[in-house]
Coordinates of all heavy atoms in Angstrom, one line a residue:
M153 N 2.6 6.1 -18.8 CA 3.4 6.7 -17.9 C 2.8 6.6 -16.4 O 3.5 6.6 -15.5 CB 3.6 8.1 -18.3 CG 4.8 8.8 -17.5 SD 6.3 8.0 -17.8 CE 7.4 9.3 -17.4
E154 N 1.4 6.7 -16.3 CA 0.8 6.6 -15.1 C 1.0 5.3 -14.4 O 1.1 5.3 -13.2 CB -0.7 6.9 -15.3 CG -1.5 6.9 -14.0 CD -2.9 7.3 -14.2 OE1 -3.3 8.1 -15.1 OE2 -3.8 6.8 -13.4
I155 N 1.1 4.2 -15.1 CA 1.3 2.9 -14.5 C 2.7 2.8 -13.9 O 2.8 2.2 -12.7 CB 1.2 1.7 -15.5 CG1 1.1 0.4 -14.8 CG2 2.2 1.7 -16.6 CD1 -0.2 0.1 -14.0
I156 N 3.7 3.5 -14.4 CA 5.0 3.5 -13.8 C 5.0 4.3 -12.5 O 5.6 3.9 -11.5 CB 6.1 4.2 -14.8 CG1 6.3 3.2 -16.0 CG2 7.4 4.4 -14.1 CD1 7.1 3.7 -17.1
Y157 N 4.2 5.4 -12.5 CA 4.1 6.2 -11.3 C 3.4 5.4 -10.2 O 3.8 5.4 -9.0 CB 3.2 7.4 -11.7 CG 2.8 8.3 -10.5 CD1 3.8 9.2 -9.9 CD2 1.5 8.4 -10.1 CE1 3.4 10.0 -8.9 CE2 1.1 9.2 -9.0 CZ 2.1 10.0 -8.4 OH 1.7 10.8 -7.4
I158 N 2.4 4.7 -10.6 CA 1.6 3.8 -9.6 C 2.6 2.7 -9.0 O 2.6 2.4 -7.9 CB 0.3 3.2 -10.3 CG1 -0.7 4.3 -10.5 CG2 -0.2 2.1 -9.4 CD1 -1.9 3.8 -11.3
L159 N 3.4 2.1 -9.9 CA 4.3 1.1 -9.5 C 5.3 1.6 -8.5 O 5.7 1.0 -7.5 CB 5.0 0.4 -10.6 CG 4.1 -0.4 -11.5 CD1 4.8 -0.9 -12.8 CD2 3.4 -1.5 -10.8
I160 N 5.8 2.9 -8.8 CA 6.9 3.4 -7.9 C 6.2 3.8 -6.6 O 6.8 3.5 -5.5 CB 7.5 4.7 -8.6 CG1 8.4 4.3 -9.8 CG2 8.3 5.5 -7.6 CD1 8.8 5.4 -10.6
I161 N 5.0 4.4 -6.6 CA 4.3 4.8 -5.4 C 4.0 3.5 -4.6 O 4.2 3.4 -3.4 CB 3.0 5.5 -5.7 CG1 3.3 6.8 -6.3 CG2 2.2 5.7 -4.4 CD1 3.9 7.8 -5.4
G162 N 3.6 2.4 -5.3 CA 3.3 1.1 -4.7 C 4.6 0.5 -4.0 O 4.5 -0.1 -2.9
A163 N 5.7 0.6 -4.7 CA 6.9 0.1 -4.1 C 7.3 0.8 -2.8 O 7.7 0.2 -1.8 CB 8.0 0.1 -5.2
V164 N 7.2 2.1 -2.9 CA 7.6 2.9 -1.7 C 6.6 2.6 -0.6 O 7.0 2.5 0.6 CB 7.6 4.5 -2.0 CG1 7.6 5.3 -0.8 CG2 8.7 4.8 -3.0
S165 N 5.3 2.5 -0.9 CA 4.3 2.2 0.0 C 4.5 0.8 0.7 O 4.3 0.6 1.9 CB 2.9 2.2 -0.6 OG 2.7 3.5 -1.1
G166 N 4.9 -0.2 -0.1 CA 5.2 -1.5 0.4 C 6.3 -1.5 1.4 O 6.3 -2.2 2.4
W167 N 7.4 -0.7 1.0 CA 8.5 -0.6 2.0 C 8.1 0.0 3.3 O 8.4 -0.4 4.4 CB 9.7 0.1 1.3 CG 10.8 0.3 2.2 CD1 11.8 -0.6 2.5 CD2 11.1 1.5 3.0 NE1 12.6 -0.1 3.5 CE2 12.3 1.2 3.7 CE3 10.5 2.7 3.1 CZ2 12.8 2.1 4.6 CZ3 11.1 3.6 4.0 CH2 12.2 3.3 4.7
L168 N 7.3 1.1 3.2 CA 6.8 1.8 4.4 C 5.9 0.9 5.2 O 6.0 0.9 6.5 CB 6.1 3.1 4.0 CG 7.0 4.3 3.5 CD1 6.1 5.5 3.0 CD2 7.8 4.7 4.7
A169 N 5.0 0.2 4.6 CA 4.1 -0.6 5.3 C 4.9 -1.8 6.0 O 4.6 -2.2 7.1 CB 3.1 -1.3 4.3
G170 N 6.0 -2.3 5.3 CA 6.8 -3.2 5.9 C 7.5 -2.7 7.2 O 7.7 -3.4 8.2
Q171 N 7.9 -1.4 7.2 CA 8.5 -0.7 8.4 C 7.4 -0.6 9.4 O 7.7 -0.8 10.7 CB 9.0 0.5 8.0 CG 10.2 0.5 7.0 CD 11.3 -0.4 7.5 OE1 11.9 -0.2 8.6 NE2 11.7 -1.3 6.7
I172 N 6.2 -0.3 9.1 CA 5.1 -0.1 10.1 C 4.8 -1.4 10.7 O 4.5 -1.5 11.9 CB 3.9 0.5 9.4 CG1 4.2 2.0 9.0 CG2 2.7 0.5 10.3 CD1 3.1 2.7 8.1
M173 N 4.7 -2.5 9.9 CA 4.3 -3.8 10.4 C 5.5 -4.6 10.8 O 5.6 -5.8 10.5 CB 3.5 -4.5 9.2 CG 2.3 -3.9 8.7 SD 0.9 -4.1 9.8 CE 0.6 -5.8 9.7
K174 N 6.4 -4.1 11.6 CA 7.6 -4.8 12.0 C 7.2 -6.2 12.6 O 6.3 -6.3 13.4 CB 8.3 -4.0 13.2 CG 9.2 -2.9 12.7 CD 10.4 -3.4 12.2 CE 11.4 -2.3 12.0 NZ 12.3 -2.5 11.0
G175 N 7.8 -7.2 12.0 CA 7.6 -8.6 12.4 C 6.4 -9.1 11.7 O 6.2 -10.3 11.7
G176 N 5.7 -8.3 10.9 CA 4.5 -8.9 10.2 C 4.8 -8.8 8.7 O 3.9 -9.1 7.9
G177 N 6.0 -8.4 8.3 CA 6.4 -8.3 6.9 C 6.8 -9.6 6.3 O 6.9 -10.6 7.0
F178 N 7.0 -9.6 5.1 CA 7.4 -10.7 4.3 C 8.8 -10.6 3.7 O 9.1 -11.4 2.8 CB 6.4 -11.0 3.2 CG 5.0 -11.4 3.7 CD1 4.1 -10.5 4.0 CD2 4.7 -12.8 3.9 CE1 2.9 -10.9 4.5 CE2 3.5 -13.1 4.3 CZ 2.6 -12.2 4.7
G179 N 9.5 -9.7 4.0 CA 10.8 -9.4 3.4 C 10.7 -8.3 2.4 O 9.5 -8.0 1.9
L180 N 11.8 -7.7 2.0 CA 11.7 -6.5 1.2 C 10.9 -6.7 -0.1 O 10.1 -5.9 -0.5 CB 13.2 -5.9 0.9 CG 13.3 -4.7 0.1 CD1 12.6 -3.5 0.8 CD2 14.7 -4.4 -0.1
L181 N 11.4 -7.7 -0.8 CA 10.7 -8.0 -2.1 C 9.2 -8.2 -2.1 O 8.5 -7.6 -2.8 CB 11.4 -9.1 -2.9 CG 10.9 -9.5 -4.3 CD1 11.1 -8.2 -5.2 CD2 11.6 -10.7 -4.8
W182 N 8.8 -9.1 -1.2 CA 7.4 -9.3 -1.0 C 6.6 -8.2 -0.5 O 5.5 -7.9 -0.8 CB 7.1 -10.6 -0.2 CG 7.3 -11.8 -1.0 CD1 8.3 -12.7 -1.0 CD2 6.5 -12.3 -2.1 NE1 8.1 -13.7 -1.9 CE2 7.0 -13.5 -2.6 CE3 5.3 -11.8 -2.6 CZ2 6.4 -14.2 -3.6 CZ3 4.6 -12.5 -3.6 CH2 5.2 -13.7 -4.1
N183 N 7.3 -7.4 0.4 CA 6.6 -6.2 0.9 C 6.3 -5.2 -0.3 O 5.4 -4.5 -0.3 CB 7.4 -5.5 2.0 CG 7.3 -6.2 3.3 OD1 6.5 -7.2 3.5 ND2 8.1 -5.8 4.3
I184 N 7.3 -5.1 -1.1 CA 7.2 -4.1 -2.3 C 6.0 -4.7 -3.2 O 5.2 -3.9 -3.7 CB 8.5 -4.0 -3.0 CG1 9.5 -3.2 -2.2 CG2 8.3 -3.3 -4.4 CD1 10.9 -3.1 -2.7
I185 N 6.0 -6.0 -3.5 CA 5.0 -6.5 -4.3 C 3.7 -6.4 -3.7 O 2.7 -5.9 -4.4 CB 5.3 -8.0 -4.6 CG1 6.6 -8.1 -5.5 CG2 4.1 -8.7 -5.3 CD1 7.0 -9.5 -5.7
L186 N 3.5 -6.7 -2.4 CA 2.2 -6.5 -1.7 C 1.9 -5.0 -1.6 O 0.7 -4.7 -1.6 CB 2.3 -7.2 -0.3 CG 2.3 -8.7 -0.4 CD1 2.5 -9.3 1.0 CD2 1.0 -9.2 -1.0
G187 N 2.9 -4.2 -1.6 CA 2.7 -2.7 -1.5 C 2.1 -2.2 -2.8 O 1.2 -1.3 -2.8
I188 N 2.5 -2.7 -3.9 CA 1.9 -2.4 -5.3 C 0.5 -2.8 -5.3 O -0.4 -2.0 -5.8 CB 2.8 -3.0 -6.4 CG1 4.1 -2.3 -6.4 CG2 2.0 -2.9 -7.7 CD1 5.2 -3.0 -7.3
V189 N 0.2 -4.0 -4.8 CA -1.2 -4.5 -4.7 C -2.0 -3.6 -3.8 O -3.1 -3.2 -4.0 CB -1.3 -5.9 -4.2 CG1 -2.7 -6.4 -4.0 CG2 -0.6 -6.8 -5.3
G190 N -1.4 -3.2 -2.6 CA -2.0 -2.4 -1.6 C -2.2 -1.0 -2.2 O -3.2 -0.3 -1.8
S191 N -1.4 -0.5 -3.1 CA -1.6 0.8 -3.7 C -3.0 0.8 -4.5 O -3.8 1.7 -4.4 CB -0.5 1.1 -4.6 OG -0.7 2.3 -5.2
F192 N -3.2 -0.3 -5.2 CA -4.4 -0.4 -5.9 C -5.7 -0.6 -5.0 O -6.7 0.1 -5.1 CB -4.4 -1.6 -6.9 CG -3.6 -1.3 -8.1 CD1 -2.3 -1.9 -8.2 CD2 -4.0 -0.4 -9.1 CE1 -1.5 -1.7 -9.3 CE2 -3.2 -0.3 -10.3 CZ -1.9 -0.9 -10.4
V193 N -5.5 -1.4 -3.9 CA -6.5 -1.6 -2.9 C -6.9 -0.3 -2.2 O -8.0 0.0 -2.0 CB -6.1 -2.7 -1.9 CG1 -7.0 -2.8 -0.8 CG2 -6.0 -4.1 -2.6
G194 N -5.8 0.4 -1.8 CA -6.0 1.7 -1.1 C -6.8 2.7 -2.0 O -7.7 3.3 -1.5
G195 N -6.4 2.8 -3.2 CA -7.2 3.7 -4.1 C -8.6 3.2 -4.3 O -9.5 4.1 -4.3
W196 N -8.8 2.0 -4.4 CA -10.2 1.4 -4.6 C -11.1 1.7 -3.4 O -12.1 2.1 -3.5 CB -10.1 -0.1 -5.0 CG -11.5 -0.6 -5.2 CD1 -12.3 -0.5 -6.2 CD2 -12.1 -1.5 -4.3 NE1 -13.4 -1.3 -6.1 CE2 -13.4 -1.8 -4.9 CE3 -11.8 -1.9 -3.0 CZ2 -14.3 -2.6 -4.2 CZ3 -12.8 -2.7 -2.4 CH2 -14.0 -3.1 -3.0
V197 N -10.5 1.4 -2.2 CA -11.3 1.6 -1.0 C -11.6 3.0 -0.7 O -12.8 3.3 -0.4 CB -10.5 0.9 0.2 CG1 -11.1 1.4 1.6 CG2 -10.4 -0.6 0.1
F198 N -10.6 3.8 -0.9 CA -10.9 5.3 -0.7 C -11.9 5.8 -1.6 O -12.7 6.7 -1.3 CB -9.6 6.1 -0.7 CG -8.8 6.2 0.5 CD1 -8.2 5.0 1.0 CD2 -8.7 7.4 1.2 CE1 -7.5 5.0 2.3 CE2 -8.0 7.4 2.4 CZ -7.4 6.2 2.9
N199 N -11.9 5.3 -2.9 CA -12.9 5.7 -3.8 C -14.3 5.2 -3.5 O -15.2 5.9 -3.6 CB -12.5 5.3 -5.3 CG -11.5 6.2 -5.9 OD1 -11.4 7.4 -5.6 ND2 -10.7 5.6 -6.9
M200 N -14.3 4.0 -3.1 CA -15.6 3.3 -2.7 C -16.2 4.0 -1.5 O -17.5 4.1 -1.4 CB -15.5 1.8 -2.5 CG -15.1 1.0 -3.7 SD -16.2 1.2 -5.0 CE -17.6 0.3 -4.4
L201 N -15.4 4.4 -0.5 CA -15.9 5.0 0.7 C -16.0 6.5 0.5 O -16.4 7.3 1.4 CB -15.0 4.8 1.8 CG -14.9 3.3 2.3 CD1 -13.9 3.1 3.4 CD2 -16.3 2.8 2.7
N202 N -15.7 7.1 -0.7 CA -15.8 8.5 -1.0 C -15.0 9.3 0.0 O -15.5 10.4 0.4 CB -17.2 8.9 -1.1 CG -17.4 10.2 -2.0 OD1 -16.5 10.5 -2.8 ND2 -18.5 10.8 -1.8
I203 N -13.8 8.9 0.3 CA -12.8 9.6 1.2 C -11.8 10.3 0.4 O -11.2 9.7 -0.5 CB -12.2 8.6 2.2 CG1 -13.2 7.9 3.0 CG2 -11.2 9.4 3.1 CD1 -12.6 6.8 3.9
S204 N -11.7 11.5 0.7 CA -10.6 12.4 0.0 C -9.7 12.9 1.0 O -10.0 13.5 2.1 CB -11.3 13.5 -0.7 OG -10.4 14.3 -1.3
L205 N -8.4 12.7 0.8 CA -7.3 13.2 1.7 C -6.9 14.6 1.2 O -6.7 14.7 0.0 CB -6.1 12.2 1.7 CG -6.3 10.9 2.3 CD1 -5.1 10.0 2.2 CD2 -6.7 11.0 3.8
N206 N -6.7 15.5 2.1 CA -6.2 16.8 1.7 C -5.1 17.2 2.6 O -5.2 18.2 3.3 CB -7.3 17.9 1.7 CG -8.3 17.7 0.6 OD1 -8.0 17.3 -0.4 ND2 -9.6 17.7 1.0
V207 N -4.0 16.3 2.7 CA -3.0 16.5 3.7 C -1.9 17.4 3.1 O -1.3 18.2 3.7 CB -2.5 15.1 4.1 CG1 -1.2 15.3 5.0 CG2 -3.5 14.3 4.8
G208 N -1.6 17.2 1.8 CA -0.5 17.9 1.1 C -0.8 17.9 -0.4 O -1.9 18.0 -0.8
S209 N 0.3 17.7 -1.1 CA 0.2 17.6 -2.5 C -0.5 16.2 -2.9 O -0.7 15.4 -2.1 CB 1.5 17.7 -3.2 OG 2.3 16.5 -2.9
A210 N -0.8 16.1 -4.2 CA -1.5 14.9 -4.7 C -0.6 13.7 -4.4 O -1.1 12.7 -4.1 CB -1.9 15.1 -6.1
T211 N 0.7 13.9 -4.6 CA 1.6 12.8 -4.5 C 1.6 12.4 -3.0 O 1.6 11.1 -2.7 CB 3.1 13.2 -4.9 OG1 3.0 13.7 -6.3 CG2 4.0 12.1 -4.8
V212 N 1.7 13.3 -2.1 CA 1.6 12.9 -0.6 C 0.4 12.2 -0.2 O 0.4 11.2 0.5 CB 1.9 14.2 0.2 CG1 1.7 13.9 1.7 CG2 3.2 14.8 0.0
N213 N -0.7 12.7 -0.8 CA -2.1 12.0 -0.5 C -2.1 10.6 -1.1 O -2.6 9.7 -0.5 CB -3.2 12.8 -1.1 CG -3.4 14.2 -0.4 OD1 -3.0 14.4 0.7 ND2 -3.9 15.2 -1.2
T214 N -1.5 10.5 -2.3 CA -1.5 9.1 -2.9 C -0.6 8.1 -2.1 O -0.9 7.0 -1.9 CB -1.0 9.2 -4.4 OG1 -1.8 10.1 -5.1 CG2 -0.9 7.9 -5.0
I215 N 0.5 8.6 -1.6 CA 1.4 7.9 -0.8 C 0.7 7.4 0.5 O 0.8 6.2 0.8 CB 2.8 8.5 -0.5 CG1 3.6 8.6 -1.8 CG2 3.5 7.8 0.5 CD1 4.8 9.5 -1.7
I216 N 0.1 8.3 1.2 CA -0.6 8.0 2.4 C -1.7 7.0 2.1 O -1.8 5.9 2.8 CB -1.2 9.2 3.1 CG1 -0.1 10.2 3.5 CG2 -2.2 8.9 4.2 CD1 -0.6 11.5 4.0
Q217 N -2.5 7.2 1.1 CA -3.5 6.2 0.7 C -3.0 4.9 0.4 O -3.5 3.9 0.8 CB -4.3 6.8 -0.5 CG -5.4 6.1 -1.1 CD -6.0 6.9 -2.2 OE1 -6.3 8.1 -2.1 NE2 -6.2 6.2 -3.4
S218 N -1.9 4.8 -0.3 CA -1.2 3.6 -0.7 C -0.6 2.9 0.5 O -0.7 1.6 0.5 CB -0.1 3.8 -1.8 OG -0.7 4.4 -2.9
V219 N -0.1 3.6 1.4 CA 0.5 2.9 2.6 C -0.6 2.3 3.4 O -0.5 1.2 3.9 CB 1.3 4.0 3.4 CG1 1.7 3.4 4.8 CG2 2.6 4.4 2.7
I220 N -1.7 3.0 3.6 CA -2.8 2.4 4.3 C -3.4 1.1 3.6 O -3.5 0.0 4.2 CB -4.0 3.4 4.4 CG1 -3.5 4.6 5.4 CG2 -5.3 2.8 4.9 CD1 -4.5 5.8 5.4
G221 N -3.4 1.2 2.3 CA -3.8 -0.1 1.6 C -2.8 -1.1 1.7 O -3.1 -2.3 1.9
A222 N -1.6 -0.8 1.6 CA -0.5 -1.8 1.8 C -0.4 -2.4 3.2 O -0.2 -3.6 3.3 CB 0.8 -1.2 1.4
V223 N -0.7 -1.6 4.2 CA -0.8 -2.2 5.6 C -1.9 -3.2 5.7 O -1.8 -4.2 6.2 CB -0.9 -1.0 6.6 CG1 -1.3 -1.6 8.0 CG2 0.4 -0.2 6.7
V224 N -3.0 -2.8 5.1 CA -4.2 -3.7 5.1 C -3.9 -5.0 4.4 O -4.1 -6.1 4.9 CB -5.5 -3.0 4.5 CG1 -6.5 -4.0 4.2 CG2 -5.9 -1.9 5.3
V225 N -3.2 -4.9 3.2 CA -2.9 -6.2 2.4 C -1.9 -6.9 3.2 O -2.0 -8.2 3.2 CB -2.4 -5.7 1.0 CG1 -1.7 -6.9 0.3 CG2 -3.5 -5.1 0.2
L226 N -0.8 -6.3 3.8 CA 0.1 -7.1 4.6 C -0.5 -7.7 5.8 O -0.2 -8.8 6.1 CB 1.2 -6.1 5.1 CG 2.3 -5.8 4.1 CD1 3.3 -4.7 4.6 CD2 3.1 -7.0 3.6
F227 N -1.5 -7.1 6.4 CA -2.2 -7.7 7.6 C -3.0 -8.9 7.1 O -2.9 -9.9 7.7 CB -3.1 -6.6 8.2 CG -3.9 -7.2 9.3 CD1 -3.3 -7.4 10.6 CD2 -5.2 -7.4 9.2 CE1 -4.1 -8.0 11.6 CE2 -6.0 -8.0 10.2 CZ -5.4 -8.3 11.4
V228 N -3.7 -8.7 6.1 CA -4.5 -9.9 5.6 C -3.6 -11.0 5.1 O -3.9 -12.2 5.4 CB -5.5 -9.4 4.4 CG1 -6.2 -10.6 3.8 CG2 -6.5 -8.4 5.0
A229 N -2.6 -10.7 4.4 CA -1.7 -11.7 4.0 C -0.9 -12.4 5.2 O -0.8 -13.6 5.2 CB -0.6 -11.1 3.1
G230 N -0.7 -11.6 6.2 CA -0.2 -12.3 7.4 C -1.2 -13.2 8.1 O -0.8 -14.2 8.7
L231 N -2.5 -13.0 7.9 CA -3.4 -13.9 8.5 C -3.4 -15.3 7.8 O -3.7 -16.3 8.4 CB -4.9 -13.3 8.3 CG -5.2 -12.1 9.2 CD1 -6.6 -11.6 8.9 CD2 -5.0 -12.3 10.7
F232 N -3.1 -15.2 6.5 CA -3.0 -16.5 5.8 C -1.7 -17.3 5.9 O -1.6 -18.4 5.5 CB -3.3 -16.2 4.3 CG -4.8 -15.9 4.0 CD1 -5.2 -14.5 3.8 CD2 -5.8 -16.9 4.1 CE1 -6.5 -14.2 3.6 CE2 -7.1 -16.5 3.9 CZ -7.4 -15.2 3.6
R233 N -0.7 -16.5 6.4 CA 0.6 -17.1 6.5 C 0.7 -17.9 7.8 O 0.3 -17.4 8.8 CB 1.7 -16.1 6.5 CG 3.1 -16.6 6.7 CD 4.2 -15.6 6.6 NE 4.1 -14.7 7.7 CZ 5.0 -13.7 7.9 NH1 6.0 -13.6 7.0 NH2 4.9 -13.0 8.9
G234 N 1.0 -19.1 7.7 CA 1.1 -20.0 9.0 C 2.2 -19.5 9.9 O 3.3 -19.1 9.4
R235 N 1.9 -19.4 11.2 CA 2.9 -19.0 12.1 C 3.3 -20.3 12.9 O 2.8 -21.1 13.3 CB 2.3 -18.0 13.1 CG 2.0 -16.7 12.4 CD 2.4 -15.6 13.1 NE 2.2 -14.3 12.4 CZ 3.1 -13.5 12.1 NH1 4.4 -13.6 12.6 NH2 2.9 -12.4 11.5

């Protein structure tokens, strides 16, 4: 059940990251896929840096963390995409 929760949070995070990175996104589907990857990246980075968010509920903290990870993933993927 937790994996479904992570996938949903990742999909929402990917969409939000696509909105934040206007012009730097890859379209809705790819933003969602990269958002799911970014959700894992955000969780890993925050754990490695021992950063804890205390903004609201655990779900809000997870979404913020995932959006940050998704923005990073979209940015890095944009570097590899030819312009």
